[in-house]
Each structure stands twice: as C-alpha cells, then as structure tokens.
Amino acid sequence: MASSTLSAPVMQKGIHGWNPCARISSNARVNSHRTLNCPLSMSTVRKPLFFRAHPASINPPHVSASQRYSLDTKKFPVSCAGKFQLDDVIESQQFDTDILNGIFEVAFEMEKIEKNSPGSNILKGYLMATLFYEPSTRTRLSFESAMKRLGGEVLTTENAREFSSAAKGETLEDTIRTVEGYSDIIILRHFEGGAAKRAASTATIPVINAGDGPGQHPTQALLDVYTIKREIGRLDGISLGLVGDLANGRTVRSLAYLIAKYKKVKIYFVAPDVVKMKDDIKDYLTSMGVEWEESSDLLEVASKCDVVYQTRIQKERFGERIDLYEAARGKYIVDKKVLDVLPKHAVIMHPLPRLDEITVDVDGDPRAAYFRQAKNGLYIRMALLKLLLLGW
Amino acid sequence: MASSTLSAPVMQKGIHGWNPCARISSNARVNSHRTLNCPLSMSTVRKPLFFRAHPASINPPHVSASQRYSLDTKKFPVSCAGKFQLDDVIESQQFDTDILNGIFEVAFEMEKIEKNSPGSNILKGYLMATLFYEPSTRTRLSFESAMKRLGGEVLTTENAREFSSAAKGETLEDTIRTVEGYSDIIILRHFEGGAAKRAASTATIPVINAGDGPGQHPTQALLDVYTIKREIGRLDGISLGLVGDLANGRTVRSLAYLIAKYKKVKIYFVAPDVVKMKDDIKDYLTSMGVEWEESSDLLEVASKCDVVYQTRIQKERFGERIDLYEAARGKYIVDKKVLDVLPKHAVIMHPLPRLDEITVDVDGDPRAAYFRQAKNGLYIRMALLKLLLLGW
Amino acid sequence: MASSTLSAPVMQKGIHGWNPCARISSNARVNSHRTLNCPLSMSTVRKPLFFRAHPASINPPHVSASQRYSLDTKKFPVSCAGKFQLDDVIESQQFDTDILNGIFEVAFEMEKIEKNSPGSNILKGYLMATLFYEPSTRTRLSFESAMKRLGGEVLTTENAREFSSAAKGETLEDTIRTVEGYSDIIILRHFEGGAAKRAASTATIPVINAGDGPGQHPTQALLDVYTIKREIGRLDGISLGLVGDLANGRTVRSLAYLIAKYKKVKIYFVAPDVVKMKDDIKDYLTSMGVEWEESSDLLEVASKCDVVYQTRIQKERFGERIDLYEAARGKYIVDKKVLDVLPKHAVIMHPLPRLDEITVDVDGDPRAAYFRQAKNGLYIRMALLKLLLLGW
C-alpha cells in the first residue's frame, strides 16, 4: 500500500461514507480480499480513551494527571470504531502524537489479551506472510507471536533472498504480487533501504516494514516510545539519556525523532567521540524546540534522567580499526554505579542484543526495563496487526 | 501412496462397498490414521456440476453454452459424494478430462471459500508436512496457504536435504515412514526425478508431488489448465501459443500434454531455434489429433490465439554460451505490440518468475493473467488437499 | 526453570495449598504468564490408572497381570489432578519409575487423542518456541506435530546459531529472556552440553531439552522406554540386547540408565571391539543390581531377548580410520537370520536413522518396531507438553 504521512488522525470516510464499524467494508482493498463482520462489541464513535499509568511509575509534580492516560477497556474491549488511518507501516514519519497515543492504547489492550487465556481470536482466518530477505529471528518471532496470540496464522520465509525466484532475477514487485495472493498482510524485512515503500506501493494488502537495510524499522521506534510511556507514565516532559553508538544506531535516531513530537523533552547525548550523534538529528531537535546537550559524564546524566537508553557499539562499523572499537566499547558502561545515582522512578532501556555495555548484575534491578521493552514489541505488533486488518 | 493412472473416474468401491459419503471410512489407509465424519452436507450421488463462465470471458460463437460449466455451489457447497479417485498426486498422466473437470469444480468452490471470512475449517485437525529437499518458496507458500485457508495446520522443512538423517544416509523411504507418523499428508519437493513416486509407494498417507527434479510438477500443470478454463471459459476448441523456452520448460511440456486431452485444440510453438519444442511432444500431439504448427512470427500467432503462454529462457541451461542465451532471450518479448494484436477475450499467461520476456507495461492490461494464474495455484492446491483428505 | 531430581512423585503443594485442579494457579511461574481454567473434566484425586497391554504383546508367564497397566481413559479422559512434578525436562536423571509410569499413562492417552478426529484443543492458546541451535528436523517435526495435535501453536527457528543476536555475541540467557516473552514453552536444541540446564535456570516458562551436544536427549530416552512398555507390556523382568555402537551412542547409554530403575532387568551388550560399552554404565548397572554380560554372538543374544536394540555405527567418530569403521559397521547386522531366532513376542528397535545395520527385508515383520518407536516419540512429546503446561 502507498504509505501516507497524515497530519491528523481524523476518521476517514469509507467509500460508502463513514461508518464506525465498517472499517473493513470501507477499506476497498482489504474488502476486495475478504469480507469481515465486526467480531467485537461496537461503539459508534471512537471516544478519547485514557491510558492507565504504570503502577510502578512515579508521577513527577510537573506532570498533571490529565496529561496521562488510563484505559477503560471494559467499555471498549477491542473497539470497532473506524478504519485505521494508515494502510501500511513503513516509516516513523507516518506517526503524529495522536496516532501514537491511539496505537499505545491498543497495545495496552493487547497486554491484557496476551496475559489472559485462551488468547484472542480476533484475527482468526487471517494469514500473515513474514517475507524476510535477511534473517532477524528476534523480530520475526515477535511478529509471528503477535499474529498467533490474536488467533491468526502465519506463512514464513526467512530466506527470501535465496527465494528461487529472487535468485533468478524476479523483482520485489513481482514477488509481492504473488505473495499477496497467498496472505492478508505482509511483514517485510529487506536488505535495501526503500524496499518496504516499493512493496507497499505494489501490494493491495497491508505491508509492515520490519527493517529495510539502513533505512527504517518503525515498529522498533514505536515499541521504544511505548516502553517509556508504560514505564514512566508519560512522554511529555521526559528527560532522556541516549548512550553509546549514536552515529550508527538506527534505533536511537528514530527514538530521538519520535520523542521530539512531545512537549518539554530534554535529551542528553553520551557517546564516544567516534560515534557521536550526527548534526541532522541535532538540527531537527532544535527546530522542534527540544532541548539537548552532549555530555561525557554518564553518571551525572543518569542522575538527571527518567530514561537511560543504552546501545551497543557496533563492531561491524569500525572495519579494521579494532583499536578504536575497543576504546569506544568500554567507555560508557551501565553498571551498579549508574544504578546508584539513577532516580528511583527511572529506567534503563536497551534495544538488545546487549554485549557487556550493561553489566549482568544490573538485570535484577526493577529499573532494568530492557526485557520488558522487548516484550512491548509484541504488544505494539499485536496492535498494528489488529489496526491494519480490523481498524480501530 | 501408490500412484495409479485411471482410465475413468468411476467411483471406487471401498472395503465395505461403495458409500457416497464414506470416502474416509472406505480409505483404509487414511482410516487407519484418523476417523472422520463427513463435516459437510452430503449428496448421495455425485451429480454433474456445472462450471460458471468467467464474467470477463467472451464466449466465442463456436463454443456452445453446454460445453461450458456453471457451478451450483448452493446445492453442493462442499460435497461429500465419494472418495477421490486418486490416492496421491504424482504426475500429469493420472488425470483424464473427467477428473480434471471435477478438480476444477472444487477449485472454483475454493475461490469462494478463500474470499469469504473467516475461512473454512473443513481441514481442521489435519496436519500437512511440507518436506522440501530443495527450496521453492513460491510453491511452498502456496501449499501452506492452501492448507491454512482450509483450517489445517502445517509442519515445514525446507532443508530436508541437509536433514540430519538424509545427510547421514537415510533413505527417502525411511524418512517418509517417519514423517507420515507426524502428519496426515505429505507435500514432497525433491531434486531427483521419480522421488515422489517412491515416496507415494511407501507412504500410508497421501503424497503430493511439488516437483521432483526434471520430472513432474503436476499441480503447476493443473493450475495452468484451470487458468485457461477460468479465463477463457472453456478448454475444447482452444488456440494456444506456447512461447519461449519450449525445449527445457517442464511447464509448457506438461501443459501441452494435458491440453491435448481436450477437443479441437490448436497449438502454435514460437521458440528461438536453440530451444524449440522437442519431437516427443509433437508426436504425442499428432497422435492425439491435436493440430500444431511452428512459427517465428509472435505477432501473427498472438492475433489468432486465445492464450499466449510466455516462458522464461532458462539461462542455467546455456552453460558458458551466454551469447546464445542473450540471443534467445531477446527474440520473443510480450509487449504492448503483442497486446495491440491480441484478441480482446484472449489472455497472456506465464508460470513466473518473469524477467523481461513480458514487459512491465503489460501488467496493467486486463488480459495480463499471470498473477491471477499464480493465485489459481492456491485454489488448485486447496482443491487437491480437500479431495485427498476428505474426498469429493 | 531450574531442573530438579525428585525422589518421589508426590503431589506438590501450590502457593495456595494443594488443589487437584489448580495445577496452573499453583504454578506461580506459568500463572504469571497466563491464567487457565481447567479445560477438562476433573477428578479430585489422581487415582492409580492402569495401562492396557499392547494387543500384539505376549504376556510372558513370569509377568503377572498386576505388574502391567491398563488405562481407564473414560473415567479420566485427560485428568486435571495436580501439578506436574517437573518444571522442565532437562535430563534422564529427573525421572524415577513413578514419574515414568505416570508419563507413560498420559502418552497412552495421547495415542487415542492423536488417532481421533478432529484432534484435541487442550493446548489451544499456547505457543511453543522451537529454538534450535543446530538443525534436527526429525526431532523438531515430532515436537511441532505434538504441539499441533493438541491444538497449540508453534514459533520455529532452526538457525538460532546464526540468530543475528547470537552471532553478535548475545548470551543464551539473554536470548531465552527474549523468547520467553513470545511463547509459553521453549524446546531447546543446542550444540553445547549443559545449555538446556542454563536455559531452564533462566526461563520463567518450561524448557524441554531436545538434545544438547554430547549431553542429554531425555525425550529420546523416554520414548525408548515407553516403546518397550507398549510393545512388550512391561518393563520389570525385561531382557534387552543392546547392539552396535555402544561407546558413542547417547541413546543406548540413556536407555541403559533408565531401564536399570526397573526390576530384574538383564542386558546383553553386542558391540564391535572398537565401540564397546564403557565402564561407567557397566559399573552403574552393577550398582543397581542389573545383570549384564557382553557377547559376540548376536544370534544367541537375539534368541534370549525381549528387545534387540540396534544402533548405527557412527562414521563421524572414526575420523580417518575408515577401515575400522567399515569393519565395525558390517559386524552385527539385524537381518532375516536374526528374525528366525527372535522370540515371537520380542521386537527390534532402532533410534533411526538406519543405514544397513537392519536390512530392509526385516521391515515387514511385525516385530520390526522402529517406525512405531519413532511414532511413540510423538506421544511422549504430547504427554510432556500437556504435563508441563497443564499438569496431570
């Protein structure tokens, strides 16, 4: 599907006029494929839902209660209140704060669905194709678990690059046209930047970008922001320390991009000289009114932050300069000393995999949020599958 | 299962005498594995069903209405009218026109099942093993989608050649005896001609050949014939242009073999000299009373055909003679000029993957049928799974 | 989960006191993940169930009826009588005869479930992750079939060793912490001895060892003992001939270890000199009061045994000494001559894959039990999945 950057998450009118529960019948493309009745209770208008604060979170005085959300899922268990604004999920630029908040509400509903037995069946009869041109087992399993937790089914290929057809010279577009005949949604991982956009503009079914080369990995960006929301209870007014490989890390760049959409955000960059944050993101933050500063004192930054986001120094970027890699790698380690100065309500995040940039003795601390963060990837992906296939 | 070439699609008697809905209980081998009640409405005798013409098809004057089919699926939604004549699907020689027409009727029912929500459950509780000794993602995903669209489940192995046991010297027969213990039907792709037949004679559950080396790929042949039926509305009296690599293309050879079973068929061969159709098929066509001629004028052929079936020149067959490959490759291209002369009711087909032997600007024409053809592979495979596991 | 060697299969008290059907709510770890109601009929106390003798088995006069089991599955279709004693299945040492007998009863119930349509749904909503760091298609398909036969779903990775994260240096423990967020039970195959134990002590969900390097493969050991039980009707008083590569065969060593727990067992070792049974097992058998002797006369041993357990000579252990391999390989072959002297009630077993150490003409004899043995792996794995996820 063609990706679109929406300026406001307004309810779109379907081809027969807007109908709150007709997100499928108003979605001509999905509709051409299969006709669904709303499997769930319905509400005629999508009400502003509220997001419940994380029980462990501390509510800093400068954040009023009304800035946070609490989710009334009894009234809207899984609502059927309209078509999702996006046809595909291709890049972080598609999301404004209203869509983000909506997705986060659905992700929060998904946490409950996932914890309860015997699982949901809202995607029963739907078939997801995970079309991976490079292996990424973590991302693949997360998407496949998401689909199965909602009762859907999965077709998997991890070696699409050696896909006989691709190897014989078939274009990505032709492959997409074939695979869309076998499935209802495509999760694409590709080695080339821009591949997901090309796939989406060909496909008549939704496409989710699960990472395309040096380009985008929007579900990772969403799960990072969702984790801050879940752990700290808010996104406005957040103080964020980004640590490690800021030059090459796709993750921290996307996170900085998305978090800048919220109010009164403060960002600290803590990176070895060889992998400092690049000017494009700094300029963007400035243009968005986000305060940022660079620091070489991890302990001081940690003492002031709601979130310390550690990243791995990527050895593969250093080529033969192993000496530079080794110097950069050991410079900023999150360990017990960091925990000692970290505020009680704050958390440590990491996109994983982690080597030794967070020491293992940190794992037991309740503020070590990185495995919860990985789990949040499941909820975000469940939410996106639900939204793209069923609508709000 | 042992494959058998049936001369007539008569209802076979089960071990307890023929019972129209006892196709499972009369199938001792399947029966030994699991006992099923007919999950569907029943009809005591398999009536001649009629196949509805493709809405877009044009009914040439020399084809009377009675020669075509229209499917009364309300009376026989998915019928339970008897055991399928075949225990396995191994080679094109197993099919006469009565069985073909029956399979096509079921495939047409499958189109409806696939388009409707929330999918069928007629194969719920059945487990299909895709045992692939060489990767073929397109074929594999098509079979797996077919099984899942019918509510069945799938066990997958794409690297059966490196299957620890095969690598250690286990015979195909022993592997089949093990895998049949874990599943209800086996889809076998193998690098050796004849492997499917060996597997079928060992297995006590149905085997479908998904391609065995230079040998057979019968579901591809079936989907090609089904596509002509669906697109043109008939098979008798068809004019067919086979274009491209006719010497090496397993697909065009099988198609010529099957289409010869219909009446008043005319075939044009359009191939570069180095990859002309071989004499065995020509002789067979002559013996079957099929008119054929060779031509080097693609435009003239296209102007007279119901179907132009283009194929890829297979580079791998030319070895070091890249010059010959390049010459052959560029000789017959289906492009806008071919569309200009192609009759309105006619279609372009291609087994895919396609390189540049059909130009991309052809894709948007309604007569470009190759992606619909790929999709028909899904319906044919759904039909075969249903027939082999449940009967008619 | 931390593995534990239990001395007696007593019902454990849950956190709220023992409740016969509260095996899930008393299992805090599983409970933290999902709350289940007992999906099945309940019995307040786990009664001693009886195991029905294999119809084909001959009941030797020295085995009284009370020594065997007959399963009254009408009264306890799939019982809900308490938590399983084990949190994980890691090594053969976890099993005493009471647990073994209990598992075998459940495995026997599973045979019936597997044979009946349309399959069971007792594990519906559960998700199993097969995390294989080395391929083992047979074992993987067996586990995946087991899960699907019970209505559960599967996430698969066969190339976890090249798992981007593992390749980047992620620890097994971190991988487990991620994967446990996506699934309800992990089946681990690893190339390092001890890996399953490490995984189990990290995971908050059950782990089953599907083979870790030269270490353990406990489900193979269980299926071997179960096969003897099913085929011969008893385990006490059994005479067992272990043939082939006794030095390197993990299978025969585990079988000897487990069978020693039963009464009046007699074992004959028949092995080429270069691959004789090692002293550790011999000493262990002696300490357990098991009578054993070495023999070089396969025919004489076969004439006295209830079970002849043949194994493959493992070429890969001989390095460059192909001459030694060839000599060892041809020395003890199970063929028609062995069948001639084998008692009528006795069986031939083999862990598979088999090369030519059992000739193909033996396969048709009803005493050739090796493919039934492979199938029993399915039932044992179904039983373990049921027990670990739902309890007794």
Side-chain angles (χ1 to χ4, degrees):
Chain A
M1 295 186 170
S3 62
S4 55
T5 308
L6 291 179
S7 53
V10 293
M11 291 298 134
Q12 295 191 326
K13 288 208 177 202
I15 48 178
H16 304 302
W18 185 69
N19 176 336
C21 261
R23 75 265 168 272
I24 294 302
S25 61
S26 68
N27 183 340
R29 296 179 311 165
V30 172
N31 198 34
S32 68
H33 191 66
R34 47 185 47 218
T35 316
L36 263 207
N37 293 318
C38 176
L40 300 158
S41 70
M42 305 178 180
S43 64
T44 47
V45 179
R46 183 159 167 261
K47 303 273 179 56
L49 305 182
F50 296 96
F51 209 97
R52 195 183 304 142
H54 187 256
S57 75
I58 286 174
N59 196 4
H62 63 280
V63 179
S64 78
S66 68
Q67 282 177 286
R68 293 191 292 120
Y69 292 84
S70 146
L71 189 64
D72 184 349
T73 49
K74 271 184 195 145
K75 278 168 72 183
F76 310 102
V78 176
S79 58
C80 286
K83 187 182 171 303
F84 188 43
Q85 292 89 333
L86 308 177
D87 291 325
D88 310 278
V89 171
I90 303 303
E91 56 187 13
S92 300
Q93 288 87 321
Q94 291 176 283
F95 303 103
D96 60 23
T97 55
D98 284 325
I99 300 186
L100 286 175
N101 291 338
I103 293 170
F104 295 164
E105 287 164 14
V106 178
F108 189 72
E109 295 173 50
M110 293 301 160
E111 294 195 31
K112 295 177 189 166
I113 285 176
E114 192 261 349
K115 286 188 177 71
N116 289 327
S117 167
S120 170
N121 268 319
I122 62 171
L123 295 186
K124 183 164 161 49
Y126 283 93
L127 208 39
M128 175 180 100
T130 45
L131 189 60
F132 274 43
Y133 282 78
E134 59 177 17
S136 173
T137 310
R138 179 191 304 274
T139 302
R140 181 172 65 79
L141 292 186
S142 173
F143 269 109
E144 296 184 356
S145 179
M147 189 66 182
K148 294 187 173 190
R149 288 295 190 204
L150 293 173
E153 271 293 343
V154 175
L155 301 175
T156 297
T157 178
E158 252 193 327
N159 66 348
R161 195 171 191 168
E162 296 158 56
F163 201 108
S164 53
S165 306
K168 288 173 187 160
E170 186 176 62
T171 62
L172 175 63
E173 283 78 3
D174 275 16
T175 302
I176 292 290
R177 280 195 191 94
T178 302
V179 172
E180 72 178 354
Y182 305 152
S183 58
D184 301 304
I185 187 166
I186 293 173
I187 313 301
L188 181 73
R189 173 91 171 196
H190 206 278
F191 50 91
E192 283 179 8
K197 210 167 214 165
R198 286 168 54 208
S201 52
T202 297
T204 59
I205 61 173
V207 172
I208 300 180
N209 184 358
D212 54 351
Q216 293 266 348
H217 191 2
T219 59
Q220 177 71 43
L222 289 177
L223 79 88
D224 284 343
V225 181
Y226 179 64
T227 298
I228 299 175
K229 176 87 178 178
R230 283 290 282 124
E231 295 286 336
I232 309 297
R234 67 196 154 81
L235 289 160
D236 292 329
I238 213 83
S239 291
L240 189 61
L242 299 178
V243 187
D245 187 343
L246 306 185
N248 303 305
R250 184 170 60 179
T251 312
V252 283
R253 290 172 53 85
S254 294
L255 175 56
Y257 177 86
L258 278 187
I259 203 77
K261 296 173 182 288
Y262 291 87
K263 292 169 195 152
K264 295 183 188 166
V265 169
K266 171 85 194 238
I267 301 185
Y268 300 90
F269 299 124
V270 184
D273 280 349
V274 288
V275 287
K276 289 185 107 139
M277 180 56 84
K278 290 178 180 166
D279 285 342
D280 61 339
I281 291 288
K282 290 178 185 170
D283 293 346
Y284 167 76
L285 291 176
T286 302
S287 77
M288 296 290 284
V290 173
E291 229 184 290
W292 60 266
E293 66 184 68
E294 294 187 302
S295 168
S296 60
D297 187 342
L298 175 57
L299 288 181
E300 202 220 334
V301 165
S303 72
K304 294 187 291 189
C305 278
D306 301 301
V307 175
V308 171
Y309 194 107
Q310 173 69 298
T311 60
R312 182 173 62 93
I313 306 288
Q314 296 179 39
K315 190 178 184 180
E316 54 273 31
R317 307 283 185 167
F318 285 81
E320 309 218 328
R321 297 303 305 270
I322 300 296
D323 55 326
L324 290 180
Y325 165 68
E326 291 297 343
R329 175 188 183 183
K331 195 155 172 63
Y332 300 110
I333 301 290
V334 173
D335 54 15
K336 284 278 189 190
K337 280 178 286 182
V338 171
L339 287 183
D340 286 344
V341 299
L342 190 74
K344 273 196 175 171
H345 75 278
V347 293
I348 310 285
M349 290 174 63
H350 190 296
L352 303 181
R354 136 292 283 267
L355 299 189
D356 50 13
E357 62 275 4
I358 301 178
T359 57
V360 173
D361 56 4
V362 171
D363 294 2
D365 194 283
R367 293 167 295 177
Y370 27 96
F371 293 113
R372 295 194 294 275
Q373 180 185 357
K375 181 85 182 224
N376 286 336
L378 178 69
Y379 304 132
I380 284 291
R381 286 160 187 142
M382 289 171 78
L384 292 175
L385 291 172
K386 188 264 182 187
L387 289 167
L388 288 168
L389 289 169
L390 300 182
W392 290 107
Chain B
M1 294 184 170
S3 63
S4 55
T5 306
L6 293 179
S7 54
V10 294
M11 291 298 135
Q12 295 190 325
K13 288 209 177 202
I15 48 177
H16 303 302
W18 186 69
N19 175 336
C21 262
R23 75 264 168 271
I24 294 301
S25 61
S26 68
N27 183 339
R29 295 180 310 166
V30 172
N31 198 32
S32 69
H33 190 66
R34 46 185 48 220
T35 316
L36 264 206
N37 292 319
C38 176
L40 300 157
S41 71
M42 307 179 179
S43 63
T44 47
V45 179
R46 184 159 166 261
K47 303 274 178 56
L49 305 183
F50 296 95
F51 209 95
R52 196 184 302 140
H54 186 254
S57 76
I58 285 175
N59 197 4
H62 64 279
V63 180
S64 76
S66 66
Q67 282 178 286
R68 293 192 292 119
Y69 291 85
S70 147
L71 189 65
D72 184 348
T73 49
K74 271 184 196 143
K75 277 169 72 182
F76 311 101
V78 176
S79 58
C80 286
K83 187 181 172 301
F84 188 43
Q85 292 88 334
L86 308 177
D87 292 325
D88 310 278
V89 172
I90 303 303
E91 55 187 13
S92 300
Q93 290 86 320
Q94 290 175 284
F95 303 102
D96 60 23
T97 55
D98 284 325
I99 299 186
L100 286 174
N101 291 338
I103 293 170
F104 295 163
E105 288 164 11
V106 178
F108 188 71
E109 297 173 49
M110 293 301 160
E111 294 195 32
K112 295 178 189 166
I113 285 176
E114 193 261 349
K115 285 190 178 68
N116 290 327
S117 166
S120 168
N121 267 319
I122 61 170
L123 294 187
K124 184 164 161 48
Y126 283 93
L127 208 38
M128 176 181 100
T130 44
L131 189 60
F132 274 43
Y133 282 77
E134 58 177 18
S136 174
T137 310
R138 179 190 305 273
T139 301
R140 181 172 66 79
L141 293 186
S142 173
F143 270 108
E144 295 184 357
S145 179
M147 189 66 182
K148 293 186 174 190
R149 288 296 190 204
L150 293 174
E153 271 293 344
V154 174
L155 302 176
T156 298
T157 178
E158 252 192 327
N159 67 346
R161 195 170 190 169
E162 297 158 55
F163 202 110
S164 52
S165 306
K168 288 173 187 160
E170 185 176 62
T171 63
L172 174 63
E173 283 77 2
D174 275 16
T175 302
I176 291 290
R177 280 195 191 94
T178 302
V179 172
E180 73 177 355
Y182 305 152
S183 57
D184 301 304
I185 187 167
I186 293 173
I187 314 302
L188 181 74
R189 173 91 171 196
H190 205 279
F191 49 90
E192 283 179 7
K197 209 166 214 166
R198 285 167 53 207
S201 51
T202 297
T204 58
I205 61 173
V207 172
I208 299 180
N209 184 358
D212 54 351
Q216 293 267 348
H217 190 2
T219 60
Q220 177 71 43
L222 290 176
L223 79 88
D224 284 343
V225 181
Y226 179 65
T227 298
I228 298 175
K229 175 87 179 179
R230 283 290 281 124
E231 296 286 336
I232 307 299
R234 65 196 156 80
L235 289 160
D236 291 330
I238 214 84
S239 291
L240 189 61
L242 300 178
V243 188
D245 187 344
L246 306 185
N248 304 304
R250 184 169 59 179
T251 313
V252 283
R253 291 172 53 83
S254 294
L255 175 55
Y257 178 86
L258 279 187
I259 204 75
K261 297 172 182 287
Y262 290 88
K263 292 168 196 153
K264 295 184 188 166
V265 169
K266 171 85 194 238
I267 301 186
Y268 300 90
F269 299 124
V270 185
D273 281 349
V274 289
V275 286
K276 291 185 104 138
M277 180 57 83
K278 291 179 180 166
D279 285 341
D280 60 340
I281 292 287
K282 290 178 184 170
D283 294 345
Y284 167 77
L285 292 176
T286 302
S287 77
M288 296 290 284
V290 173
E291 230 183 288
W292 59 267
E293 64 184 71
E294 294 188 303
S295 167
S296 60
D297 187 340
L298 174 57
L299 287 181
E300 203 220 334
V301 165
S303 71
K304 295 187 291 190
C305 278
D306 303 300
V307 175
V308 171
Y309 194 106
Q310 174 67 301
T311 59
R312 181 173 63 92
I313 306 288
Q314 297 179 38
K315 190 177 183 180
E316 55 271 33
R317 308 281 185 169
F318 286 82
E320 308 218 329
R321 297 301 307 270
I322 299 297
D323 55 325
L324 290 180
Y325 164 69
E326 290 298 342
R329 175 188 182 182
K331 195 156 174 61
Y332 299 111
I333 301 289
V334 172
D335 55 15
K336 284 278 190 190
K337 280 178 286 183
V338 170
L339 287 182
D340 287 345
V341 300
L342 191 74
K344 274 196 175 171
H345 76 278
V347 294
I348 311 285
M349 290 174 63
H350 191 296
L352 302 181
R354 135 291 287 265
L355 300 189
D356 50 12
E357 61 275 6
I358 300 178
T359 58
V360 173
D361 56 5
V362 171
D363 295 2
D365 193 283
R367 292 168 295 178
Y370 26 96
F371 293 114
R372 295 195 293 275
Q373 179 185 358
K375 181 84 182 228
N376 285 337
L378 178 68
Y379 305 132
I380 285 290
R381 285 157 188 144
M382 289 171 79
L384 292 176
L385 290 172
K386 188 265 182 187
L387 289 168
L388 287 169
L389 289 169
L390 300 183
W392 290 106
Chain C
M1 295 185 170
S3 62
S4 55
T5 307
L6 292 179
S7 54
V10 293
M11 290 299 135
Q12 295 189 327
K13 287 208 177 202
I15 49 178
H16 304 302
W18 185 69
N19 175 336
C21 261
R23 74 266 170 272
I24 294 301
S25 61
S26 68
N27 183 340
R29 295 179 311 164
V30 171
N31 198 34
S32 69
H33 191 67
R34 46 184 49 218
T35 316
L36 263 207
N37 293 318
C38 177
L40 300 157
S41 70
M42 306 179 178
S43 64
T44 47
V45 180
R46 183 158 169 264
K47 304 274 181 54
L49 306 182
F50 296 97
F51 209 97
R52 196 184 303 141
H54 186 255
S57 75
I58 285 174
N59 196 4
H62 63 280
V63 179
S64 76
S66 66
Q67 281 177 288
R68 294 191 291 119
Y69 291 85
S70 147
L71 189 65
D72 184 348
T73 49
K74 271 184 195 145
K75 277 168 74 182
F76 311 101
V78 176
S79 58
C80 287
K83 187 181 171 302
F84 188 44
Q85 291 88 333
L86 308 176
D87 292 325
D88 310 277
V89 171
I90 303 303
E91 56 187 14
S92 300
Q93 290 85 323
Q94 290 176 284
F95 303 103
D96 60 24
T97 54
D98 283 325
I99 300 186
L100 286 174
N101 291 338
I103 293 170
F104 295 163
E105 287 165 13
V106 178
F108 188 71
E109 296 173 49
M110 293 301 160
E111 293 195 32
K112 295 178 189 167
I113 286 176
E114 193 262 349
K115 285 188 179 68
N116 290 327
S117 167
S120 169
N121 268 319
I122 61 170
L123 295 187
K124 185 164 161 48
Y126 283 92
L127 208 39
M128 176 180 100
T130 44
L131 189 61
F132 274 43
Y133 282 77
E134 59 176 19
S136 174
T137 310
R138 178 190 305 273
T139 301
R140 181 172 66 78
L141 293 186
S142 172
F143 270 109
E144 295 184 356
S145 180
M147 190 66 182
K148 293 186 174 191
R149 288 295 190 205
L150 292 174
E153 272 293 343
V154 174
L155 302 175
T156 298
T157 178
E158 252 192 328
N159 67 348
R161 194 171 192 168
E162 296 158 56
F163 201 108
S164 53
S165 306
K168 289 173 187 160
E170 186 176 60
T171 62
L172 174 64
E173 282 79 2
D174 275 16
T175 302
I176 291 290
R177 280 194 191 94
T178 302
V179 173
E180 72 177 356
Y182 304 152
S183 58
D184 300 304
I185 188 166
I186 293 173
I187 314 302
L188 181 74
R189 173 91 170 196
H190 206 279
F191 49 91
E192 282 179 7
K197 209 166 215 165
R198 285 167 54 208
S201 51
T202 297
T204 58
I205 60 173
V207 172
I208 300 181
N209 184 0
D212 55 351
Q216 293 266 346
H217 191 2
T219 59
Q220 176 71 44
L222 289 177
L223 79 88
D224 284 343
V225 181
Y226 179 65
T227 298
I228 298 174
K229 175 87 180 179
R230 282 292 280 124
E231 296 286 336
I232 308 299
R234 66 195 154 81
L235 289 161
D236 291 329
I238 213 83
S239 291
L240 189 60
L242 300 179
V243 187
D245 187 344
L246 306 185
N248 303 303
R250 185 169 60 178
T251 312
V252 282
R253 290 173 52 85
S254 293
L255 175 56
Y257 177 87
L258 278 186
I259 203 76
K261 296 173 182 288
Y262 290 88
K263 292 168 194 152
K264 295 184 188 164
V265 169
K266 169 87 194 238
I267 301 186
Y268 301 89
F269 299 123
V270 185
D273 281 349
V274 288
V275 287
K276 291 186 104 139
M277 179 57 83
K278 291 180 178 165
D279 285 342
D280 59 339
I281 292 287
K282 290 178 184 169
D283 293 345
Y284 167 77
L285 291 176
T286 302
S287 76
M288 296 291 284
V290 173
E291 230 184 289
W292 59 267
E293 64 185 68
E294 294 187 302
S295 167
S296 60
D297 187 341
L298 175 57
L299 288 181
E300 202 221 333
V301 165
S303 72
K304 294 187 292 189
C305 277
D306 302 301
V307 175
V308 171
Y309 194 106
Q310 172 69 299
T311 59
R312 181 174 63 92
I313 306 288
Q314 297 180 38
K315 191 178 183 181
E316 55 271 32
R317 308 281 185 168
F318 287 80
E320 309 218 327
R321 297 303 306 271
I322 300 295
D323 55 325
L324 289 181
Y325 164 70
E326 290 298 343
R329 176 189 182 181
K331 195 156 173 62
Y332 299 112
I333 302 289
V334 172
D335 54 15
K336 284 278 191 192
K337 280 178 288 183
V338 171
L339 287 182
D340 287 343
V341 299
L342 191 73
K344 274 194 173 171
H345 76 279
V347 292
I348 310 286
M349 291 174 62
H350 190 297
L352 303 181
R354 139 285 289 265
L355 299 189
D356 49 12
E357 62 274 6
I358 300 179
T359 58
V360 173
D361 56 4
V362 171
D363 295 2
D365 193 283
R367 293 167 294 177
Y370 25 97
F371 293 115
R372 295 195 294 274
Q373 179 185 358
K375 180 86 181 224
N376 285 337
L378 179 68
Y379 304 132
I380 284 290
R381 285 159 188 142
M382 290 172 79
L384 292 176
L385 291 172
K386 187 266 182 185
L387 289 168
L388 288 169
L389 289 169
L390 300 182
W392 289 106

